Amino acid sequence: MAAVETSTADPAATVALPGLARALIAAGKLNQKAAEDLYRKAQAHRTTFIAELTGSGAVSAFDLAHIMSTAFGAPLLDLDAVDVQRLPKSLLDTKICQDYRVVVLAKRSNRLTVATADPADPQAAEKIKFATQMGVDWVIAEYDKLSRMVEAQATTATEAMDSLIGEDFQFDEASLDTGAGEEEAKGTSEVDDAPVVKFLHKMLMDAINMRASDLHFEPYEHHYRVRFRIDGELRDIASPPVAIKEKLASRIKVISRMDIAEKRVPQDGRMKLKIGVDRVIDFRVSTLPTLFGEKVVVRILDPSSAKLGIDALGYEPEEKARLLDAIKRPYGMVLVTGPTGSGKTVSLYTCLNLLNQPGVNISTAEDPAEINLPGVNQVNVNDKAGLTFATALRAFLRQDPDVIMVGEIRDLETADIAIKAAQTGHMVMSTLHTNDAPSTLVRLRNMGVAPFNIASSVVLISAQRLARRLCPACKVPVDVPPEALLEAGYREEELDGSWMPYRAVGCNACNNGYKGRVGIYQVMPVSEDIQRIILRDGTSLEIAEQAQREGVRSLRQSGLHKVKLGVTSLEEVINCTNI
């Protein structure tokens, strides 16, 4: 028996105590045996050492906070004096806050001030650094108060699923326009689980209020997450229970008029949400089968974005004048170019909204139509049914149009018909995927369009990018060496000391120092000199040089001008115009 007792005692003597326990032993507040007993109980109960410590009454939360503050030289904060509503939102995933019992108090530059009761936990610091890519400055708080604040903050995470059942969101089922028939309505009852329905409603409303452009519902093997794309960046918002993934996907598919039984192939749909008496938000929905369930992406299509006016898009006065002059011509082609997500559709819709008058017949072919514009004849192309861009264009020409908008020129057939329409008395607008305005003309040539047709039809090309706009409440000037400014693209004469670039800081009103986005444009009219370069089959470099001589800014120069005006940061311009 003695041998057995010795063998069981040895592991007890070599227990690897956490840093918090070692700090309490060093402070004389806990002996070795009591610390080891508490640690074993925590493991047996599958809880944390600090929870077992404070729960057992071995050390009070008040005493523990004071001991930790002294031992680690960190400031002590009474959380009763902190307003949870004024704390920064969404800087750290709610699940991390719950797992490690931490609360983000503030953000300054690239460091977070975080309240904790256990600054000796290395995993918490590493997890926060990895999730935010920022440093951590600890502030000590009492564990019981900290736990209450973590729960109070977790309004969009897992526990919200239960609390949503009794909440009133000031809109009901009628606010979602499903367009479903009787058979689909019967199917709806299969997924009308109250927590799921209200959770979906809350996510949609949160996304609209946070000015998000997309919602991502993503299932994985052991967890489920919801992310919003805000100002071009994806951010973790919620981690609902993985068990709801089937019901949530089914709910979205029902109200988007998709096949609820089909889970093997991607599907597309649409839904509407009525907000108030005079505002309706459209959503474009896409599902994708993944290893662990269907991923759902919801694109927010706010019709009001097309009615903001051209001034809200960020065009400089001379760029705006060139664009307005081009679209008001009786015939010709205006092309908008840029990568996916650069705001091409909003720019085109804004132009159409300006031209949308009672005496003008406007027809559009899109894949699909994103925003409903009253007074505009919008057609969704359907390749499977034979309704392609080219087919729609041919039909438009028999419909007595004044203005034609083609969602995208993808092939020679569509390009040829669009150019012929521009040559025969119609204003044609469309998009292409090219890096800048000069390369767009070469792209058309490479598609097989004759140089003469390009030169005689295209009147203007607008290349664009979207850069994050600096938050006016917290941006601060930054001293950048002249060498760095010259390398970025500024000329010597521009560095006259009359201006300074600004940098992002971050506050409660913005997203890491940025709030909203602004367009960066290269608006290039096709002049007679550029036409001559096209006719002799010149390169995009020759076209760009001629455009520079005519006063057309490149995308980088346009972005640098926005930096001089304090609209965005130098880093943001370099990132989005890295061509």
Side-chain angles (χ1 to χ4, degrees), residues 125-134:
E126 289 302 318
K127 192 78 172 179
I128 295 171
K129 288 177 183 178
F130 181 79
T132 64
Q133 299 299 305
M134 287 185 275

Side-chain angles (χ1 to χ4, degrees), residues 315-517:
Y315 286 95
E316 296 302 318
E318 65 273 19
E319 296 168 345
K320 172 185 171 183
R322 291 174 192 151
L323 181 61
L324 292 179
D325 179 64
I327 66 173
K328 289 179 180 177
R329 293 190 184 189
Y331 58 88
M333 178 180 283
V334 172
L335 296 173
V336 179
T337 181
T340 301
S342 61
K344 300 188 299 294
T345 302
V346 172
S347 294
L348 283 178
Y349 274 117
T350 301
C351 292
L352 290 179
N353 205 48
L354 291 172
L355 299 175
N356 190 12
Q357 303 296 329
V360 180
N361 180 19
I362 303 176
S363 297
T364 73
E366 303 166 74
D367 184 21
E370 293 192 359
I371 298 173
N372 179 31
L373 284 179
V376 175
N377 307 292
Q378 296 173 274
V379 174
N380 278 336
V381 300
N382 187 339
D383 290 337
K384 291 182 180 179
L387 180 56
T388 63
F389 280 119
T391 306
L393 272 173
R394 290 193 186 93
F396 289 166
L397 294 177
R398 296 190 292 271
Q399 293 276 318
D400 186 30
D402 296 302
V403 179
I404 297 172
M405 195 269 272
V406 186
E408 183 184 350
I409 294 179
R410 297 176 179 171
D411 50 50
L412 177 59
E413 184 182 17
T414 305
D416 270 339
I417 301 172
I419 282 175
K420 288 174 183 174
Q423 292 171 332
T424 55
H426 307 93
M427 169 52 63
V428 179
M429 300 180 189
S430 189
T431 69
L432 268 90
H433 290 280
T434 55
N435 285 334
D436 57 7
S439 62
T440 304
L441 297 169
V442 177
R443 168 79 175 125
L444 287 172
R445 180 72 187 91
N446 292 338
M447 288 175 95
V449 181
F452 172 80
N453 286 333
I454 299 172
S456 62
S457 59
V458 181
V459 297
L460 180 135
I461 302 169
S462 176
Q464 65 183 68
R465 300 287 190 277
L466 283 179
R468 291 181 294 170
R469 189 189 294 267
L470 282 168
C471 174
C474 65
K475 66 179 181 180
V476 296
V478 59
D479 189 14
V480 179
E483 295 79 12
L485 295 175
L486 290 172
E487 186 180 350
Y490 285 105
R491 299 188 301 271
E492 286 276 5
E493 56 269 25
E494 292 180 283
L495 308 183
D496 54 8
S498 63
W499 61 276
M500 285 186 71
Y502 286 81
R503 67 175 176 87
V505 177
C507 65
N508 293 346
C510 66
N511 177 26
N512 296 331
Y514 296 95
K515 188 175 183 179
R517 291 193 284 180

